[in-house]
Amino acid sequence: MLSKLTRLEVLDVSNNSLLSLSTSGNDVNYSFPQLTTVRFSGCSVRQFPSFFQTSKLQSLDLSNNMISGGISKWEAEGWEGLYLLDLSHNFLTMEQFPGNNLEYLNLDSNLLQGPILSNCFNPKIPILKELTVIIISKNKLTGNIPSSICNLSSPDVLDLSENRLSGTIPDCLGNFIRLETFDLQMNNFIGKIPNSFVNNSGMIHLLLNDNQLEGLVPPSLANCTSLELLNLGNNKLTDRFPRWLASLPSLQILILRFNRFYGSLPHSIASSNFSALRIIDLSGNEFTGTLSTKLLQNLRAMKDKPKKWLYFSTFGAVFFSEGSVFNEIPVNLTTKRLDMELTKTLAIFVSMDLSNNQFCGKIPEDVGQLISLQMLNFSHNNFTGPIPASFGNLVALESLDLSSNKLSGRIPSQITELTFLEVLNVSNNNLVGPIPHGKQFDTFDNDSYIGNSGLCGLPLSKQCVNIEGAKPPTPLSVEHEGSKIAFFWRVVMLGYGSGVVLGLSLG
């Protein structure tokens, strides 16, 4: 039937998992001289459909299939005009790819191994300089990033994350003026972060987390005024908190977790330019000092619920104008006592994690103004004083961890009004008094409260005793005249007195 559609231009049968692809029947002559776009994503395809060979093919999407092996030359014939190639989520081990005019290349989640495909950045193929989107994440690539990558004119997206790449990051990567998404997370890179981000005002996402990078955070990142996501977590960076971060008006997600940052948070970060921040994770460092009330007051995005979903995509609308496909950037956060990878939910998630530092002083009441917070973690610090009653205003809160501090006083009863609270941990403090009850508080177990010798009541085995002193005895006769109960007690007392006198006499 397909062989009769000789004027076919676009063929899209994506997401039909029960559809089989048959090339049997040598008597059938497939010829599609007008075919430019083929989308066979998610159709259980096991081999390259050779009958799609055509000199006018421009866009080929074979993602989410079961294709293995490589692309031989005969399979690639007629693909010279190809500018979009999506082979993600297959089982490919190829060493080369077809086409010399590619602008979009997606090889995410395959079995590629060894050095990065040399012909991706081969200076002998000058046409490949026009690659604007390069995604080769979640493979088994090893070795260094070749210096020939600098031959690219200026990519929009460069994603080499979740491989086994090593060595240093080439300085030239900071010079790409059109680069919007730069993702090298979860590799084995060493050395310093290049300080060459001079003309990168369009940079939106920078992810260098989970490597072995050292040194300072480069000040040239202050030029990335469009930056929305900065993830430098799980490295070996040694620096004070970068003051210039407050000059990034669009910054929504800041993750510096588990490095070697030290010192107090400067007052400059309390500027209004931090008003877009929705996720801040400074956990696992050596920060000291108290929390700035002014900083908390200026975290405006944490006070207002998100008005719309935000998808981290810089190329979906360009290359998939007929059916938009979004590139979701995962971010790892510790929430609800688990390390979780957030993708879609990242767009509406609001959290603050300052755990495993050396912050001290009282927790400001202004934290209660951050009503959009879903996760709050202040554990393993030196906070003192009572738990602010204003925490009862955090109506969206799902996880609250204040464990391993020096907090004192009672647990505020206002917190029992938090109907979304799933995780509570106030263990290892100096809290006293009865544990409040009601709603979510009736679901928490002993682990939420252990290490507070002054706490009592369920779910702990320690019962609460009356610590207000013994009350005076209640008068026996408080009833009205003529009451049968009052008369009964008079008779009892008369008998009691008579018995005492008689007993003493007999004795």
Side-chain angles (χ1 to χ4, degrees), residues 82-85 101-105 128 130-134 319:
L82 201 65
Y83 77 87
L84 184 151
L85 179 62
N101 295 300
L102 282 177
E103 297 179 16
Y104 176 104
L105 173 66
L128 284 180
E130 300 306 316
L131 268 172
T132 56
V133 175
I134 306 165
F319 294 99

Side-chain angles (χ1 to χ4, degrees), residues 307-319:
K307 298 179 180 179
K308 62 181 180 179
W309 285 77
L310 301 175
Y311 289 90
F312 295 109
S313 174
T314 55
F315 49 85
V318 176
F319 294 99

Side-chain angles (χ1 to χ4, degrees), residues 7-13 34-39 322:
R7 299 179 62 184
L8 193 65
E9 295 181 6
V10 177
L11 175 62
D12 187 352
V13 291
Q34 306 299 322
L35 191 62
T36 61
T37 301
V38 174
R39 293 175 182 161
E322 293 141 17

Side-chain angles (χ1 to χ4, degrees), residues 40-230:
F40 248 79
S41 176
C43 293
S44 303
V45 176
R46 295 180 178 273
Q47 60 183 355
F48 285 101
S50 58
F51 61 84
F52 289 153
Q53 293 177 18
T54 170
S55 59
K56 291 190 176 182
L57 195 63
Q58 298 176 4
S59 175
L60 176 61
D61 183 358
L62 295 173
S63 60
N64 295 285
N65 283 293
M66 295 181 287
I67 305 174
S68 59
I71 301 177
S72 62
K73 293 182 178 180
W74 69 268
E75 288 174 324
E77 288 178 359
W79 290 0
E80 289 81 5
L82 201 65
Y83 77 87
L84 184 151
L85 179 62
D86 190 344
L87 300 176
S88 59
H89 297 275
N90 279 285
F91 303 98
L92 295 170
T93 58
M94 64 184 187
E95 298 180 357
Q96 64 179 7
F97 58 88
N100 295 333
N101 295 300
L102 282 177
E103 297 179 16
Y104 176 104
L105 173 66
N106 191 348
L107 300 175
D108 172 66
S109 300
N110 277 282
L111 301 177
L112 305 181
Q113 53 187 333
I116 295 179
L117 304 179
S118 58
N119 60 339
C120 280
F121 318 115
N122 193 338
K124 295 181 180 179
I125 311 179
I127 303 179
L128 284 180
K129 287 184 177 181
E130 300 306 316
L131 268 172
T132 56
V133 175
I134 306 165
I135 306 174
I136 319 180
S137 53
K138 296 181 181 178
N139 281 278
K140 300 179 181 179
L141 299 177
T142 57
N144 301 345
I145 296 179
S147 58
S148 57
I149 196 173
C150 301
N151 295 322
L152 295 172
S153 58
S154 187
D156 294 328
V157 176
L158 178 59
D159 185 353
L160 303 177
S161 62
E162 297 189 51
N163 280 285
R164 301 172 184 175
L165 298 171
S166 57
T168 58
I169 300 175
D171 289 338
C172 68
L173 295 182
N175 296 326
F176 291 139
I177 59 175
R178 287 172 43 191
L179 191 61
E180 296 182 0
T181 296
F182 186 17
D183 192 351
L184 299 182
Q185 64 176 316
M186 299 185 186
N187 279 285
N188 297 309
F189 290 110
I190 60 174
K192 297 182 178 181
I193 301 174
N195 190 23
S196 53
F197 299 91
V198 178
N199 298 310
N200 297 81
S201 59
M203 176 87 73
I204 299 177
H205 312 120
L206 177 59
L207 299 97
L208 302 177
N209 54 287
D210 293 272
N211 283 284
Q212 301 179 44
L213 300 172
E214 300 176 338
L216 306 176
V217 181
S220 63
L221 282 175
N223 298 311
C224 303
T225 53
S226 299
L227 199 62
E228 296 180 5
L229 189 160
L230 177 61

Side-chain angles (χ1 to χ4, degrees), residues 12 27 30 69 86 138 161 206 222 234 245 279 329 341 348 356 390 407 442 461 486 493 500:
D12 187 352
D27 56 333
Y30 295 101
D86 190 344
K138 296 181 181 178
S161 62
L206 177 59
N234 295 347
L245 284 174
I279 295 177
I329 298 178
E341 182 179 86
I348 60 171
N356 293 281
S390 63
L407 300 173
D442 294 335
S461 58
M493 293 305 296
V500 170

